């Protein structure tokens, strides 16, 4: 019969409808360091542009 695989299809659709589980990831010290360096670099650039504009 053509409907033999219908149960498997329905089970697959049920599995696809479930939201994916979120993994809890810890932020490593390397990532924190990189983000801090980026923020410092952007702040220094903005300060330099603002200081250059006042002269």
């Amino acid at each position: 019969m053509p409907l033999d695989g219908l149960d498997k299809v329905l089970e697959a659709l049920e599995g696809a409808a479930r939201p994916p589980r979120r993994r809890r990831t810890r932020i490593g010290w390397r990532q924190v360091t990189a983000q801090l360096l980026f923020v410092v670099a952007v702040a220094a650039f903005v300060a330099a542009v603002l200081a250059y504009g006042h002269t």
Side-chain angles (χ1 to χ4, degrees):
M1 284 186 81
L3 298 178
D4 284 342
L6 188 59
D7 290 334
K8 291 180 183 177
V9 171
L10 290 176
E11 287 176 9
L13 287 175
E14 278 183 14
R18 279 187 235 132
R21 289 185 184 173
R22 287 193 167 189
R23 292 186 299 174
R24 297 184 110 193
T25 56
R26 290 182 7 197
I27 298 176
W29 65 270
R30 288 185 184 101
Q31 186 174 359
V32 171
T33 305
Q35 288 176 346
L36 285 175
L37 286 174
F38 177 76
V39 168
V40 168
V42 169
F45 178 77
V46 170
V49 168
L50 290 175
Y52 182 76
H54 287 297
T55 59

